[in-house]
Amino acid sequence: MIEEEIMRIEKKFTANVYWKRPVVITEGHGAIVWDISGRQYIDCTSSYGVCIIGHSHPRIVDAISEQAKKLISCHGSFYSETRSKLLQKIAEIAPKGLSKVFLGNSGAEAVECAIKLARKFARKPEIIAMVGGFHGKTMGALSATWNEKYRKPFKPLIPGFKHVPRYNIQKLRAAITNKTAAVIVEPIQGEGGIRMPPENFLQELIEICHEREVLSIFDEVQTGFGRTGKMFACEHWDATPDILCLAKSVAGGLPLGITIAMDEVMSSFDVGEHTSTFGGNPLVCAGACAAIDVLLEERLPERAARMGSYFLDKMKTLADRHMIVREIRGLGLMIGIELRFDVLNILLKSMNRGVLLLDAGRNILRLLPPLVIQKEHIDTTVSVLDAILGEEERERLRD
Ligand SMILES: Cc1ncc(COP(=O)(O)O)c(C=O)c1O
């Protein structure tokens, strides 16, 4: 099928909910993807943070092919060897004390589970989230998500949610009441613009939660599995939550959401209270087992730390050279470039020059490349951005 026909069909038959780039992607390996005409792109999106070990990693391909030949579906009401292997692997890499797992299919579902779990365990209704926080778009997760653009058309949302100023420990302390079940936070806000917490914030949050008998939920859907240079971002600050939400990158590209909690917290669910038909199916579990093996054997979190600081240092030179750059920030291979104007045009321009980027809000470029990205790809990405920012600057000066 030709490119125009594919685009016409997608436009005609899918809900108009994605801002679409005019490109048909047909293949991906490592940090490179190809379009239908064979053109190559450096993928600094990882498909929104999913392909952390690279596109179509051979170990994932082998694992899911082998599993598919044996058994694709096995509901959670039956036992599965592949699922048991994955649960063991998750328990081995999870922050200490977190050992009980619920397997779903997406980030929003991982958050839904955490919210229900907190309410059930604490027997209290209130959930506190942060200004700028993003936790997904299903009704429960959306109630924790901050952006009014996503919330407004669907009100009323779930009652009992409130938002406090981002990473402000005093305001958080003041917001907790005797009805508060949990505080939910991303260790680094992703969609909110790659916002880093102050140095002691997460530890203080945990302390306050313990003091006030409130559960802490860390949403590491975007920051988890090596993205920031440690297996989980919370490890940078030595802060372990009561509940951890994971998704995106955990199954080498396949859909999997994971909620991990302390045993006594997860045990508050009774049989039938929270289930999912596809959750924990052997196909996805096989992919996730392989993804975790690759992450550990190839030491990808360490690689993310190394390549991330190389990338960030190079990017920071752009801030020195271009007035339109307000700030460059990030950790590991999670990088944000805040500009003084809208970035959509830059996403298209960089695509036309062979580099795929993400946005995170109106004026922030977001880079979430696969952790296997090579130095030469980083150098090319920086020089493409350098050229585009220079052009944009000149155009704006001319206007
Ligand atoms: C921190 C965070 N939580 C939750 C989600 C929702 O994940 P999903 O789109 O898989 O539902 C996202 C997605 O971007 C996210 O970044």
Side-chain angles (χ1 to χ4, degrees):
M1 225 189 285
I2 57 164
E3 196 174 17
E4 288 74 24
E5 182 64 355
I6 294 168
M7 291 184 193
R8 187 190 68 74
I9 293 172
E10 277 215 31
K11 271 193 200 132
K12 182 164 179 204
F13 292 112
T14 53
N16 181 31
V17 291
Y18 297 100
W19 176 77
K20 294 265 207 195
R21 297 156 174 85
V23 62
V24 177
I25 305 290
T26 52
E27 203 169 327
H29 299 287
I32 301 294
V33 294
W34 285 263
D35 73 11
I36 194 163
S37 62
R39 190 161 175 224
Q40 177 177 315
Y41 302 82
I42 298 168
D43 182 12
C44 288
T45 78
S46 297
S47 213
Y48 273 77
V50 168
C51 301
I52 211 157
I53 62 169
H55 286 270
S56 291
H57 194 291
R59 295 274 292 276
I60 302 290
V61 175
D62 288 349
I64 61 177
S65 310
E66 285 310 306
Q67 184 62 48
K69 284 184 212 153
K70 283 198 288 193
L71 185 69
I72 292 177
S73 182
C74 175
H75 189 263
S77 56
F78 297 92
Y79 290 97
S80 146
E81 186 188 359
T82 313
R83 190 187 303 129
S84 74
K85 283 186 184 160
L86 174 61
L87 293 170
Q88 215 150 26
K89 283 182 196 292
I90 295 171
E92 277 162 20
I93 60 169
K96 215 160 161 251
L98 302 185
S99 57
K100 274 265 164 107
V101 170
F102 176 80
L103 298 172
N105 309 281
S106 68
E109 277 185 62
V111 170
E112 291 289 336
C113 173
I115 292 167
K116 285 176 72 176
L117 196 53
R119 283 188 166 176
K120 178 83 198 294
F121 177 79
R123 301 192 183 283
K124 293 185 270 186
E126 232 172 57
I127 310 284
I128 299 177
M130 305 282 134
V131 166
F134 183 85
H135 303 286
K137 294 178 183 169
T138 55
M139 287 304 263
L142 183 60
S143 306
T145 287
W146 176 72
N147 195 334
E148 270 303 291
K149 183 175 91 182
Y150 303 139
R151 296 163 58 89
K152 201 168 166 210
F154 307 104
K155 287 187 175 177
L157 300 178
I158 312 286
F161 284 76
K162 60 183 170 190
H163 292 84
V164 296
R166 170 175 36 226
Y167 303 143
N168 183 321
I169 207 75
Q170 276 79 31
K171 296 277 193 231
L172 173 63
R173 192 190 294 275
I176 293 175
T177 71
N178 57 10
K179 292 207 179 79
T180 307
V183 176
I184 182 164
V185 64
E186 297 160 81
I188 300 170
Q189 286 187 348
E191 289 279 327
I194 315 294
R195 310 277 179 185
M196 312 284 297
E199 194 49 38
N200 297 325
F201 176 80
L202 292 171
Q203 273 197 356
E204 286 175 1
L205 178 149
I206 301 277
E207 278 164 29
I208 292 173
C209 286
H210 284 167
E211 239 169 67
R212 304 288 297 271
E213 296 186 355
V214 165
L215 291 171
S216 52
I217 305 171
F218 284 3
D219 178 347
E220 293 229 26
V221 165
Q222 196 161 143
T223 54
F225 277 85
R227 167 64 60 202
T228 67
K230 299 241 185 223
M231 185 59 85
F232 303 107
C234 61
E235 293 170 14
H236 288 286
W237 296 280
D238 216 1
T240 305
D242 299 306
I243 306 176
L244 182 65
C245 301
L246 303 167
K248 286 199 188 284
S249 56
V250 294
L254 281 81
L256 173 62
I258 305 180
T259 312
I260 321 179
M262 287 164 34
D263 197 344
E264 63 164 319
V265 175
M266 191 62 90
S267 303
S268 60
F269 271 158
D270 288 328
V271 170
E273 281 184 344
H274 192 74
T275 60
S276 161
T277 301
F278 288 122
N281 69 78
L283 189 72
V284 168
C285 289
C289 282
I292 294 173
D293 288 348
V294 169
L295 211 62
L296 294 174
E297 287 165 28
E298 295 184 13
R299 302 173 72 83
L300 292 182
E302 291 87 336
R303 183 184 164 83
R306 265 194 332 274
M307 297 305 252
S309 69
Y310 177 76
F311 211 156
L312 205 56
D313 284 350
K314 288 213 126 196
M315 282 293 185
K316 283 189 173 157
T317 63
L318 297 183
D320 301 335
R321 275 207 298 283
H322 300 288
M323 293 247 304
I324 53 174
V325 176
R326 191 175 275 154
E327 193 186 26
I328 300 198
R329 51 185 178 256
L331 192 59
L333 284 168
M334 181 173 189
I335 296 173
I337 307 170
E338 183 168 343
L339 302 183
R340 297 185 192 278
F341 56 84
D342 288 16
V343 296
L344 279 193
N345 198 29
I346 296 185
L347 297 187
L348 293 174
K349 277 191 169 179
S350 66
M351 189 180 88
N352 289 335
R353 291 173 200 201
V355 176
L356 303 181
L357 302 172
L358 293 170
D359 56 338
R362 195 183 59 76
N363 64 327
I364 297 165
L365 291 167
R366 177 172 36 151
L367 285 80
L368 300 174
L371 308 189
V372 294
I373 191 167
Q374 306 287 328
K375 268 193 176 160
E376 72 209 61
H377 302 142
I378 293 177
D379 295 345
T380 306
T381 301
V382 175
S383 59
V384 164
L385 266 171
D386 193 13
I388 295 174
L389 291 173
E391 273 170 34
E392 292 281 321
E393 215 155 41
R394 283 192 294 279
E395 273 166 33
R396 257 146 244 274
L397 277 176
R398 218 176 31 227
D399 296 343

